[in-house]
Amino acid sequence: MNKEKENYPDWLVPIDIAKELKEIDFNEHCLFAFSTEKNDLYLIQKDKKDCVWYDDISLLYEPVVPPDSFLVPAWTDVLAWFRKRGLYGFITFDNTFPNSVSETFSFEIRKINRKLIYGSEENSTDEFNCYEEAREALAFKLIEIYKTQIITL
């Protein structure tokens, strides 16, 4: 991607997660897409004529999915998409010591009936030092679980 990582908006999912979402047929309305041809992020226009590149955004349009691109949703859109499919992701803050100098984050994935499907604390040694790391790991695990559910149906 032409944009440096520090300029990438943190409210959009990273490109690698967006690619994974395309593989599981994520097709919700999004304002942004990623062009594999131009290797760049752009705002999707309603009329499908031209692209408005990220640095040139002046107006917001209704999203349409161009054929040579894939959607780049906001985090809230991704979590809502999984909730519609019965998978609820939660990020928790772990600070068990009152005088702790650092904190960690973990995540859980549950069904609508509150049944625990996956907990990062119980299933791995991963400790996430920031919310954003836990959020990315949660998205990848939701995708993995969703793919498994499709296979077993």
Side-chain angles (χ1 to χ4, degrees):
M1 188 168 122
N2 295 339
K3 307 289 169 254
E4 294 179 25
K5 186 169 178 125
E6 58 267 6
N7 291 333
Y8 190 82
D10 66 355
W11 46 271
L12 290 177
V13 300
I15 299 303
D16 54 345
I17 292 176
K19 284 180 190 175
E20 293 276 335
L21 289 166
K22 179 181 180 179
E23 291 178 15
I24 60 170
D25 297 324
F26 179 92
N27 195 19
E28 299 293 309
H29 287 274
C30 296
L31 293 175
F32 291 92
F34 186 82
S35 170
T36 54
E37 182 180 319
K38 294 195 182 266
N39 195 36
D40 208 353
L41 182 70
Y42 64 92
L43 181 69
I44 303 167
Q45 287 192 10
K46 184 177 179 179
D47 59 11
K48 298 184 184 180
K49 290 182 181 175
D50 293 319
C51 298
V52 177
W53 297 101
Y54 183 71
D55 288 340
D56 301 323
I57 296 170
S58 60
L59 299 171
L60 299 179
Y61 297 89
E62 289 183 27
V64 176
V65 182
D68 67 333
S69 302
F70 55 87
L71 298 170
V72 182
W75 286 105
T76 54
D77 298 328
V78 172
L79 296 174
W81 188 84
F82 282 109
R83 284 193 307 270
K84 288 179 188 175
R85 285 144 184 87
L87 296 172
Y88 291 77
F90 304 94
I91 297 174
T92 59
F93 173 71
D94 306 320
N95 188 357
T96 56
F97 302 103
N99 297 325
S100 178
V101 294
S102 68
E103 56 276 334
T104 59
F105 295 83
S106 61
F107 65 87
E108 293 180 347
I109 299 172
R110 294 183 178 268
K111 292 292 243 175
I112 187 82
N113 63 3
R114 297 184 181 170
K115 178 184 174 192
L116 181 66
I117 302 215
Y118 183 89
S120 64
E121 286 183 330
E122 292 83 16
N123 289 293
S124 72
T125 58
D126 289 340
E127 287 188 349
F128 305 103
N129 295 321
C130 68
Y131 177 87
E132 292 76 15
E133 288 176 11
R135 182 176 60 183
E136 284 192 30
L138 169 62
F140 279 121
K141 186 53 77 171
L142 282 164
I143 291 166
E144 178 186 318
I145 290 170
Y146 182 76
K147 285 179 180 179
T148 303
Q149 285 184 347
I150 291 174
I151 292 169
T152 59
L153 291 178

